[in-house]
Amino acid sequence: LIFEFLNYIWQQPPLSPEYCLEDVFNFDAKYDCYKSLIVKSLGLAMILGAFLNKAPVLMNVLSTQSVAGFSKYALYSEIVVYSNGFFYGVLQEGLPFTSYGENAALLIQTVVLILCYWNYNSSSTSFMEPIIVLALYGLYAYSVLFALEDISYLMKTLVPINLYAKGIQIITIFQEGHTGNQSIVTLTMNVVGTTIRVGTTLGEATIDTNLLLCHVSSAILNLIIYSQYFYYAQATRQFWDEKKKKKTE
């Protein structure tokens, strides 16, 4: 059962997990095996880390009951980004699970964050907005899974969508003058994660240029948002101090 799971995430013939692990334990592994084991291990670490990626943000949002510092349009776009990445990985034959698996975890967490946004920012969310968003996503998912003939469009459109999602988040922080409930833990994980993902994509037997371009652009944009956290650190503290004063008055 263990080797069946390893074969599923490995998907890199002719090197099999049985072949490489046996040689590694016998200290007789070839360079390709060591390289593959490192790349696969980093990929698995990315997937496991993704399950905790937005946890600090969600804790901040739930504790303050506020979605300050977030753009709902950025969150909507992130849903498409993570869905595109996951659907592409599933539909692209031979692409290792370690190259795209984290998208599923990030997708679920982003959905939860959107639900929090609708709940805590109900004054700017109409009754029809969630219904329209859900209907559009259902139509999008159906089109991708059952009607899209060339799945490369998922990756080709991913870069501009990601640019919009991160770009509008950067603009939102700039306009509000603080980072709100953004978490330094999540932002750090985003920067480190996308940088590692660039490396693991380059380390795979088959390099997907569309996937690589997406990871590179994500790493750059995540670094900008990461920098904003420190640039607006004092303003963010002042924002929350004023919030606390208003509550006590």
Side-chain angles (χ1 to χ4, degrees):
L1 184 61
I2 294 176
F3 277 114
E4 286 181 6
F5 173 71
L6 289 174
N7 277 311
Y8 173 69
I9 64 173
W10 197 273
Q11 296 182 20
Q12 187 173 320
L15 299 176
S16 68
E18 295 96 331
Y19 172 78
C20 280
L21 290 176
E22 181 179 350
D23 279 359
V24 166
F25 290 136
N26 291 332
F27 301 100
D28 190 32
K30 296 177 176 60
Y31 167 77
D32 286 342
C33 275
Y34 282 119
K35 175 185 172 184
S36 295
L37 285 171
I38 291 172
V39 169
K40 299 302 178 182
S41 297
L42 286 173
L44 278 176
M46 284 285 298
I47 295 170
L48 295 174
F51 282 98
L52 301 174
N53 179 269
K54 294 186 183 296
V57 170
L58 289 169
M59 289 174 64
N60 287 346
V61 169
L62 293 173
S63 63
T64 61
Q65 297 187 353
S66 170
V67 286
F70 292 93
S71 165
K72 67 179 177 181
Y73 299 110
L75 294 174
Y76 292 160
S77 301
E78 281 187 16
I79 288 290
V80 179
V81 169
Y82 298 138
S83 296
N84 272 20
F86 180 71
F87 290 150
Y88 180 80
V90 171
L91 297 173
Q92 178 71 3
E93 186 176 350
L95 192 65
F97 180 73
T98 48
S99 293
Y100 65 90
E102 75 274 9
N103 286 287
L106 292 170
L107 175 61
I108 294 171
Q109 292 170 83
T110 305
V111 168
V112 175
L113 195 52
I114 287 175
L115 294 175
C116 289
Y117 194 101
W118 287 341
N119 183 50
Y120 296 132
N121 206 16
S122 56
S123 59
S124 64
T125 304
S126 67
F127 172 77
M128 289 299 297
E129 183 173 340
I131 298 174
I132 294 172
V133 170
L134 291 172
L136 288 175
Y137 183 80
L139 180 63
Y140 150 79
Y142 178 84
S143 300
V144 169
L145 294 173
F146 301 105
L148 186 64
E149 295 182 358
D150 185 359
I151 63 171
S152 67
Y153 284 113
L154 290 173
M155 287 294 109
K156 290 175 182 176
T157 58
L158 196 55
V159 173
I161 295 172
N162 194 40
L163 286 172
Y164 172 80
K166 300 294 184 184
I168 199 169
Q169 182 58 61
I170 291 169
I171 292 171
T172 297
I173 292 173
F174 174 77
Q175 290 176 337
E176 294 188 359
H178 61 81
T179 55
N181 268 324
Q182 297 284 347
S183 167
I184 187 59
V185 176
T186 296
L187 295 178
T188 302
M189 289 178 70
N190 287 343
V191 172
V192 174
T194 48
T195 303
I196 291 175
R197 184 51 79 199
V198 171
T200 58
T201 303
L202 288 171
E204 293 290 355
T206 302
I207 298 176
D208 191 306
T209 53
N210 290 320
L211 202 59
L212 179 62
L213 181 60
C214 179
H215 292 322
V216 170
S217 61
S218 293
I220 295 171
L221 292 169
N222 283 331
L223 184 59
I224 294 174
I225 299 175
Y226 182 79
S227 302
Q228 283 183 308
Y229 183 90
F230 294 100
Y231 183 80
Y232 291 109
Q234 185 175 350
T236 302
R237 285 193 293 269
Q238 291 175 350
F239 169 77
W240 288 117
D241 287 342
E242 291 175 4
K243 276 269 189 181
K244 290 177 182 177
K245 287 181 181 178
K246 288 180 180 179
K247 283 185 177 181
T248 57
E249 289 177 357

